[in-house]
Amino acid sequence: MTRDEAFLQFLLRMGDNTLILGHRVSEWCGHSPVLEEDIALANTALDLIGQTQFWLGLAGEVQGDGKSADDIAFLRDVWDFRNLLLVEVPNGDFGRTLMRQFLFDAWHSIQLGHLMKSSDERVAAIAEKASKEVAYHLERSADTVVGLGDGTEESHRRMQESLDYLWPYVGEMFQSDEVDAEMVAAGIAPDPASLRDDYDALITRILADATLTIPDSRFGHKGGRTGKMHTEHLGHLLTQMQWLQRAYPGSNW
Amino acid sequence: MKNEWPLWEIFIRGQHGMSHRHVGSLHAPDAEMAIKNARDVYTRRNEGLSIWVVEANHIAASSPSDKGPLYEPSESKVYRHPTFFDIPDEVGAM
């Protein structure tokens, strides 16, 4: 694997995470339990889609065959996506959506903190811009997880069920492979495995405040960031997300 | 409606604003979330530099039915307007 091939994979992983999670979060638009949360979730979704434009835009540049961020987002099939399985699972209830957001935001903020020191100036610049948005995402999702976890009997139960459901998807964020080794060697990105201690410290503190119990298991589903095996949910998501460009190729407005 | 979150009145000081202005209201479980919700609802288009939130039931308001005794007496007292004075530029905005 050449450095550019690895760099492309890395950029797809970053951009597909924000693209797929942004789409999932946007599914709440008009359906949230209260108006204020509806707007807040839409803002988060838009931030993530905005970050996607940078990551996939750079991916297109590195790939060098004239593809735009839109081409990459809307004209690939499931097996070409490199997002974590965590971000493609269905939203579930509002609590599970916010738990997933928190578990992702915690990793995202730590990851971006490292990427701001990337040897690649373009990566560092995207990370710098995204980190301010993500700091707010994390503050908001962490507060909501604490509010609902340490809330009523029902909200506590739903948040614990959410954590139990999502926990097996957390491990994938810290699995390292030859793409990551190449990125570490180039000084472009950190080794995913090296982020685990900071991540555990952060989520342990918040989940303790939320009176929630972290499952005693390190089992992790995998196959998203390598593209080897996505869940059945990603294909369904793409039929919605890509419908317009598939039905009306090149449509523009 | 006792399961509803309390109502908060939102005040925002804009980029070049001298003071906080009332922009609207929203619901939130507590003051911190009210500030976050205000950030998401009322500062999406780069409107603000500072947010104040006040729980609506802490605001005491004058009664519309009192407007005769409260405001009409001042209508005939034109001498109270400072239009008879030249205000030096150094004073700035008043």
Side-chain angles (χ1 to χ4, degrees):
Chain A
M1 182 180 291
T2 68
R3 181 150 297 177
D4 268 359
E5 283 166 357
F7 191 30
L8 174 61
Q9 290 301 308
F10 163 77
L11 293 168
L12 291 174
R13 288 171 178 182
M14 292 303 296
D16 287 344
N17 277 338
T18 52
L19 173 63
I20 300 301
L21 184 60
H23 183 82
R24 276 289 185 226
V25 175
S26 80
E27 291 173 359
W28 276 102
C29 190
H31 300 279
S32 301
V34 294
L35 181 64
E36 290 80 357
E37 291 295 341
D38 202 288
I39 297 173
L41 282 173
N43 287 348
T44 301
L46 286 170
D47 284 349
L48 292 169
I49 301 296
Q51 293 168 20
T52 303
Q53 289 182 320
F54 290 114
W55 291 124
L56 295 188
L58 184 51
E61 246 176 72
V62 170
Q63 204 170 16
D65 52 8
K67 286 207 176 77
S68 68
D70 282 343
D71 294 333
I72 297 174
F74 295 115
L75 300 176
R76 283 179 304 156
D77 210 336
V78 171
W79 43 80
D80 297 320
F81 278 77
R82 296 291 180 269
N83 57 281
L84 298 161
L85 300 179
L86 175 71
V87 299
E88 71 193 44
V89 294
N91 288 335
D93 62 17
F94 179 75
R96 194 163 100 191
T97 298
L98 266 292
M99 178 60 81
R100 180 186 60 199
Q101 192 66 39
F102 167 65
L103 294 171
F104 180 79
D105 291 342
W107 171 82
H108 203 193
S109 70
I110 294 167
Q111 168 83 341
L112 291 173
H114 287 273
L115 294 183
M116 283 162 65
K117 294 171 281 185
S118 174
S119 64
D120 187 290
E121 281 174 18
R122 297 164 297 179
V123 169
I126 297 170
E128 168 89 33
K129 181 170 191 306
S131 68
K132 295 190 189 84
E133 295 171 344
V134 171
Y136 181 74
H137 297 171
L138 176 60
E139 205 181 308
R140 187 171 187 104
S141 63
D143 270 8
T144 311
V145 164
V146 172
L148 292 174
D150 188 18
T152 66
E153 209 174 295
E154 183 185 356
S155 72
H156 175 84
R157 174 181 58 75
R158 285 179 182 238
M159 292 312 273
Q160 186 63 54
E161 284 170 5
S162 301
L163 180 56
D164 294 347
Y165 175 85
L166 293 168
W167 187 249
Y169 295 99
V170 166
E172 193 187 10
M173 296 190 275
F174 308 101
Q175 284 162 4
S176 307
D177 63 9
E178 69 276 11
V179 171
D180 301 303
E182 191 61 37
M183 291 298 95
V184 171
I188 292 176
D191 177 16
S194 72
L195 308 182
R196 182 91 209 210
D197 286 346
D198 284 348
Y199 183 82
D200 283 344
L202 172 56
I203 65 161
T204 301
R205 181 167 54 80
I206 300 295
L207 293 173
D209 281 352
T211 70
L212 296 170
T213 310
I214 297 177
D216 185 20
S217 162
R218 280 270 174 132
F219 169 75
H221 294 294
K222 57 186 173 194
R225 70 196 299 275
T226 59
K228 286 206 177 79
M229 191 161 55
H230 283 281
T231 67
E232 69 272 30
H233 306 296
L234 182 59
H236 291 274
L237 181 150
L238 295 184
T239 62
Q240 303 258 320
M241 189 181 85
Q242 298 181 331
W243 173 81
L244 198 135
Q245 280 305 317
R246 299 286 193 185
Y248 303 95
S251 181
N252 216 318
W253 67 90
Chain B
M1 298 285 273
K2 74 182 194 332
N3 285 330
E4 281 274 316
W5 289 335
L7 188 69
W8 300 77
E9 298 299 334
I10 310 302
F11 300 82
I12 289 180
R13 185 164 70 77
Q15 304 287 348
H16 306 291
M18 307 285 289
S19 57
H20 289 70
R21 289 186 54 196
H22 184 241
V23 293
S25 52
L26 49 74
H27 291 93
D30 57 35
E32 272 182 28
M33 280 311 292
I35 290 175
K36 285 198 175 69
N37 286 347
R39 180 264 190 200
D40 277 315
V41 176
Y42 292 113
T43 68
R44 305 179 72 223
R45 298 176 187 88
N46 207 18
E47 294 94 334
L49 284 176
S50 170
I51 298 172
W52 286 353
V53 301
V54 182
E55 205 178 326
N57 66 15
H58 291 310
I59 292 182
S62 63
S63 162
S65 64
D66 282 345
K67 76 175 198 281
L70 283 181
Y71 310 118
E72 275 170 29
S74 66
E75 281 173 14
S76 56
K77 298 178 175 66
V78 65
Y79 51 85
R80 288 182 180 171
H81 292 274
T83 51
F84 306 107
F85 307 98
D86 292 325
I87 298 174
D89 290 341
E90 302 86 73
V91 173
M94 284 186 74

